[in-house]
């Protein structure tokens, strides 16, 4: 993990609130692995804490981030222009483990699609299907459907309002299909539903989690914990999302009701 | 004596800069991103006798020029700290670094047990965090009542064979009376300030951002309060002071020393920039050079 000044290669608007940031960061990109994240820091030290953002793609010396503007920091980064500089630290955490199962699903909800893009490139095309859930048609602008179609067998999309693909959530398009392995990232309600699904059907799965961070992955502040089961018992312990995760084994993780 | 060397209760520090407890893990986690051998001292995260689970999440929230935390002193207990953390700091210590262990407890007895357990370990000082809730006596922090604060310090001091730093909470009406009480109880050094209680509300969700509602405020937002308290305490006690609260630059650190601190600690700044501690050390050195200062203590308490 290093702190590095990144140079903005491009910053493209995908939808009204989602943008794709391409950064030249050779030091971090060199070590980056699928499913890891980086911390992006605000220019103004009024906002001190790191903004954790998943690595969406790794292209040589460049990293691609897919960001949704939701607050101070992500709105500041939206205004970055070509050749601007920005401080980032990374790569952070444990990412996805590549498997060679026959029936693999990538399940992404909203901006949680981000880390699945690089993953789609690494998994065998003929074994991998993609299930994406978004709010409305406009959001098709950031889901990289074409890229997923190129890298995977099939892509299904669900929209909450039914304006594109199937109406409903990503759970609705998963239907009764059986998989050997599921990789997922998305909002908590989606992960909770998926957890029930994989537990019930005894499917292996990896989830990428989100939690508020202080130190941004150094593992020193203990802000970012999630509940992880201890062995096969009912017991659990707090583990750090930033260093134990952000990708965890779905069987191990416990969500509060 | 070199330009930055200072001494705290007979313990020599190569420079007056150290991390604040709980923001630096136990040091070794940071070796990946910085040279910890440059630090005057390393202060480990708060440790209790038995493991503490800590609070539910969200445990942190950003605030204007600061942050709130309610980690709840999650730690794996004293045995783990000795086995892993203290052991991993031995190289640092052998190369002249000072190791300070921060103690947490829910009862006076628990503080005593931790201190006793640490006496024989290869560490240099202990720091008593008296901001912890006094579970047996209604849950108010030990450090909010002068007589309770004096008592806990006196009891720990009876068993503790290392120089004892006592860390004060700013959530009190009269910081000076608390400082005098812990000095009377036998504190060798006083550090201040711990975090200020605060809160944030998410207006869309109509709920507090932190799971525990309230948390401790740290970062630049608290610096003026910390500086005022360090100055007040410095005017009223004889023991040396470690000043902290909101330091992010060398200039901030120099302000604390001018207010009467012998050393400074840096917490939240490291979350923003892993190089903060090293930058502060370099910055103090350059400032002293530019102002023809032979040793940093020449400016201690000059205001
Ligand atoms: C491992 C990880 C990967 C992520 N990947 C992406 C991604 O690829 N694309 C993307 O758009 N977003 C991602 N997020 C969410 C992103 O971190 C937040 O949207 C962002 O921090 C919001 O910052 P802000 O200043 O705009 O919002 P503010 O609300 O102003 O932020 C205030 C504080 O809260 C924190 N915070 C707010 N929302 C979140 C959140 N959901 N998770 C963690 N911290 C939060 C901020 O970091 C900041 O410290 C990820 C989060 C995590 C933990
Ligand atoms: C995440 C976090 C954890 C902390 N944990 C401890 C602790 O274990 N023991 C302690 O005495 N103080 C703890 N503190 C308080 C700091 O050591 C320090 O007193 C406070 O943050 C003010 O300094 P700063 O503004 O430089 O961060 C913690 C602070 C933070 C932000
Ligand atoms: S963000 Fe600090 S321990 Fe995870």
């Amino acid at each position: 993990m290093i702190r590095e000044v990144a140079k903005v290669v491009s910053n493209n608007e995908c939808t009204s609130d989602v943008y794709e940031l391409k950064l030249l960061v050779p030091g971090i990109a060199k070590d980056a692995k699928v499913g890891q994240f980086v911390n992006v820091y605000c220019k103004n030290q009024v906002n001190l804490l790191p903004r954790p953002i998943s690595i969406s793609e790794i292209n040589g010396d460049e990293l691609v981030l897919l960001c949704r503007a939701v607050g101070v920091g992500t709105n500041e980064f939206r205004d970055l222009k070509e050749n601007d500089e920005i401080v980032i630290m990374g790569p952070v955490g444990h990412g996805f483990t590549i498997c060679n199962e026959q029936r693999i699903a990538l399940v992404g909800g909203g901006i949680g699609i981000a880390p699945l893009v690089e993953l789609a490139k690494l998994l065998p095309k003929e074994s991998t299907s993609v299930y994406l859930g978004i709010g409305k048609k406009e959001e098709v602008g950031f889901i990289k459907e074409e890229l997923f179609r190129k890298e995977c067998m099939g892509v299904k999309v669900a929209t909450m309002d039914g304006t594109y693909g199937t109406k409903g959530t990503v759970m609705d398009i998963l239907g009764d299909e059986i998989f050997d392995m599921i990789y997922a990232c998305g909002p908590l309600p989606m992960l909770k539903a998926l957890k029930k699904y994989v537990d019930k059907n005894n499917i292996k799965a990896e989830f990428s989690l989100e939690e508020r961070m202080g130190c941004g992955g150094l593992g020193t502040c203990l802000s970012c914990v999630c509940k992880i089961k201890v062995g096969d018992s009912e017991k659990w312990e707090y583990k750090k999302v930033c260093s134990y995760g952000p990708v965890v084994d779905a069987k191990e993780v416990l969500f509060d009701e | 004596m070199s330009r930055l060397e200072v001494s705290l209760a007979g313990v020599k520090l190569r420079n007056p800069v150290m991390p604040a407890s709980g923001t630096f893990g136990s040091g070794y986690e940071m070796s990946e991103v910085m040279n910890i051998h440059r630090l005057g001292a390393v202060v480990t995260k708060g440790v209790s006798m038995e493991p503490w689970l800590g609070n539910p999440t969200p445990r942190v929230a950003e605030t204007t020029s600061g942050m709130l935390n309610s980690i709840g002193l999650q730690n794996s207990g004293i045995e783990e700290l000795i086995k892993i953390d203290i052991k991993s700091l031995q190289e640092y210590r052998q190369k002249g670094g000072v190791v300070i262990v921060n103690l947490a407890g829910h009862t006076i007895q628990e503080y005593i047990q931790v201190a006793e357990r640490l006496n024989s370990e290869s560490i240099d000082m202990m720091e008593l965090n008296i901001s912890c809730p006094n579970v047996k006596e209604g849950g108010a922090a030990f450090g909010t009542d002068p007589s309770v604060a004096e008592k806990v310090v006196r009891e720990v001091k009876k068993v503790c064979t290392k120089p004892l730093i006592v860390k004060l909470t700013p959530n009190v009406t009269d910081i000076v009376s608390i400082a005098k009480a812990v000095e009377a109880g036998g504190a060798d050094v006083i550090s201040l300030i711990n975090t200020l209680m605060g809160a944030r509300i998410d207006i869309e969700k109509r709920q507090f951002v932190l799971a525990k509602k309230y948390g401790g405020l740290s970062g630049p937002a608290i610096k003026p309060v910390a500086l005022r308290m360090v100055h007040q305490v410095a005017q009223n006690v004889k023991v040396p002071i470690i000043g902290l609260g909101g330091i992010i630059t060398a200039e901030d650190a120099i302000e604390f020393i001018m207010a009467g601190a012998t050393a400074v600690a840096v917490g939240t700044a490291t979350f923003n920039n892993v190089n903060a501690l090293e930058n502060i050390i370099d910055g103090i050195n350059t400032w002293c050079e530019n102002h023809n200062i032979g040793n940093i203590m020449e400016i201690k308490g000059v205001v």
Side-chain angles (χ1 to χ4, degrees):
Chain A
M1 189 189 320
I2 58 166
R3 187 180 155 88
E4 191 173 4
V5 178
K7 194 175 195 161
V8 177
V9 177
S10 66
N11 188 3
N12 293 318
E13 199 172 278
C14 305
T15 65
S16 61
D17 63 351
V18 176
Y19 52 97
E20 184 199 66
L21 200 54
K22 281 199 180 129
L23 301 173
L24 181 68
V25 258
I28 296 174
K30 177 166 64 71
D31 291 333
K33 294 195 184 63
V34 62
Q36 289 186 302
F37 67 95
V38 294
N39 294 297
V40 188
Y41 295 86
C42 297
K43 278 251 149 54
N44 193 335
Q45 283 191 324
V46 165
N47 303 101
L48 290 162
L49 296 183
R51 270 58 183 171
I53 304 287
S54 305
I55 296 171
S56 186
E57 291 177 68
I58 309 163
N59 299 328
D61 285 347
E62 290 178 18
L63 292 182
V64 180
L65 310 182
L66 204 56
C67 301
R68 167 165 266 151
V70 295
V72 190
T74 47
N75 272 298
E76 182 190 310
F77 312 146
R78 177 161 63 171
D79 294 335
L80 287 168
K81 303 266 176 312
E82 193 184 330
N83 291 326
D84 280 355
E85 290 187 334
I86 180 142
V87 175
I88 74 171
M89 188 171 75
V92 193
H94 286 94
F96 294 109
T97 44
I98 302 298
C99 73
N100 46 19
E101 299 289 350
Q102 298 296 312
R103 294 165 298 179
I104 304 170
L106 302 187
V107 181
I111 200 67
I113 287 164
L116 304 180
V117 180
E118 184 67 24
L119 188 58
K121 298 186 204 166
L122 300 175
L123 291 167
K125 176 172 177 153
E126 57 289 354
S127 319
T128 312
S129 319
V130 183
Y131 300 84
L132 307 175
I134 48 176
K136 52 181 189 289
K137 187 175 179 188
E138 192 228 342
E139 295 182 348
V140 169
F142 75 78
I143 61 172
K144 309 217 171 166
E145 202 177 333
E146 237 165 77
L147 188 149
F148 280 117
R149 283 202 194 283
K150 190 175 135 242
E151 303 289 347
C152 306
M153 263 212 317
V155 180
K156 283 188 180 168
V157 182
T159 47
M160 290 304 284
D161 65 0
T163 46
Y164 188 81
T166 308
K167 182 176 160 84
T169 69
V170 78
M171 296 310 293
D172 298 319
I173 44 175
L174 272 176
D176 297 323
E177 298 224 31
I178 295 301
F179 302 99
D180 305 310
M181 178 73 191
I182 293 180
Y183 297 95
C185 182
L188 196 55
M190 180 193 109
L191 294 181
K192 281 184 180 173
L194 210 51
K195 160 101 177 144
K196 287 203 181 108
Y197 179 80
V198 299
D199 280 352
K200 194 177 109 209
N201 298 301
N202 203 20
I203 301 168
K204 281 194 289 180
E206 287 188 346
F207 291 173
S208 181
L209 304 180
E210 271 190 16
E211 196 42 78
R212 305 249 161 181
M213 301 199 174
C215 67
L218 296 161
T220 54
C221 74
L222 295 166
S223 307
C224 63
V225 296
C226 63
K227 290 180 180 172
I228 296 289
K229 272 208 239 174
V230 184
D232 284 331
S233 67
E234 289 293 295
K235 281 205 225 115
W236 55 268
E237 59 186 342
Y238 279 131
K239 293 256 193 203
K240 299 170 219 173
V241 168
C242 71
S243 47
Y244 186 78
V247 176
V248 299
D249 185 333
K251 282 209 179 59
E252 288 187 344
V253 70
L254 290 177
F255 295 123
D256 290 329
E257 278 316 309
Chain B
M1 198 146 102
S2 73
R3 180 177 286 133
L4 295 188
E5 193 175 308
V6 300
S7 158
L8 285 174
V11 180
K12 285 214 177 340
L13 276 66
R14 56 188 157 217
N15 66 61
V17 182
M18 64 186 83
S21 175
T23 63
F24 206 70
S26 289
Y28 67 90
E29 298 97 326
M30 294 296 291
S31 326
E32 191 189 340
V33 287
M34 69 170 289
N35 179 7
I36 65 163
H37 294 284
R38 296 204 55 208
L39 302 172
V42 164
V43 187
T44 59
K45 63 188 175 211
V47 64
S48 49
M49 201 61 203
E50 301 298 330
W52 287 0
L53 193 55
N55 291 328
T57 58
R59 289 178 170 185
V60 286
E62 192 176 70
T63 62
T64 309
S65 299
M67 65 178 283
L68 293 165
N69 89 80
S70 65
I71 308 297
L73 288 162
Q74 177 181 338
N75 78 91
S76 312
I78 187 70
E79 296 307 328
E80 281 282 304
L81 183 97
I82 290 171
K83 223 169 46 200
I84 297 165
D85 307 35
I86 294 183
K87 197 162 163 225
S88 70
L89 283 170
Q90 288 315 305
E91 189 199 340
Y92 165 76
R93 188 163 180 264
Q94 274 145 21
K95 290 187 177 162
V98 168
V99 173
I100 302 173
V101 175
N102 181 281
L103 275 57
H106 281 149
T107 60
I108 294 183
Q109 199 50 39
E110 187 167 9
Y111 283 117
I112 293 174
Q113 283 177 320
V114 183
E116 273 182 327
R117 183 66 187 84
L118 279 169
N119 276 335
S120 57
E121 295 302 318
S122 303
I123 63 165
D124 300 286
M125 307 175 89
M126 298 187 209
E127 180 178 60
L128 201 62
N129 173 10
I130 57 170
S131 302
C132 301
N134 183 355
V135 168
K136 279 195 182 154
E137 309 288 337
F142 291 93
T144 55
D145 178 315
S147 62
V148 179
E150 180 176 344
K151 183 160 179 227
V152 58
V153 174
R154 194 178 299 280
E155 296 296 323
V156 172
K157 196 54 198 168
K158 273 186 201 155
V159 302
C160 177
T161 58
K162 315 269 182 192
L164 185 67
I165 305 166
V166 179
K167 183 166 177 181
L168 307 187
T169 165
N171 303 307
V172 297
T173 35
D174 180 13
I175 195 74
V176 171
S177 63
I178 306 278
K180 283 182 170 166
V182 304
E183 185 181 45
D188 299 298
V189 179
I190 289 175
S191 59
L192 76 163
I193 63 175
N194 211 314
T195 54
L196 280 157
M197 284 303 273
R200 265 206 70 187
I201 290 167
D202 181 329
I203 60 170
E204 297 308 323
K205 293 189 185 149
R206 301 186 182 201
Q207 65 186 35
F208 286 96
V209 174
L210 296 176
K212 292 289 282 185
K213 299 191 180 90
Y214 307 154
L217 181 64
S218 62
I222 68 169
K223 198 190 93 184
V225 178
L227 203 55
R228 181 265 296 175
M229 287 188 164
V230 165
H231 183 251
Q232 282 180 316
V233 170
Q235 301 292 304
N236 287 282
V237 299
K238 292 194 184 62
V239 295
I241 293 169
I242 301 171
L244 74 158
I247 297 174
I248 58 171
T249 64
E251 289 74 19
D252 295 334
I254 293 166
E255 280 190 68
F256 275 85
I257 296 169
M258 287 191 175
T262 297
V264 295
V266 179
T268 304
T270 304
F271 295 163
N272 180 251
N273 182 351
V274 286
N275 305 126
L277 281 150
E278 288 177 276
N279 291 346
I280 290 168
I281 297 168
D282 292 338
I284 299 175
N285 197 39
T286 307
W287 190 89
C288 288
E289 236 171 60
N290 293 342
H291 292 77
N292 289 320
I293 286 162
N295 178 268
I296 182 77
M297 287 299 95
E298 290 167 29
I299 59 160
K300 181 185 149 196
V302 293
V303 293

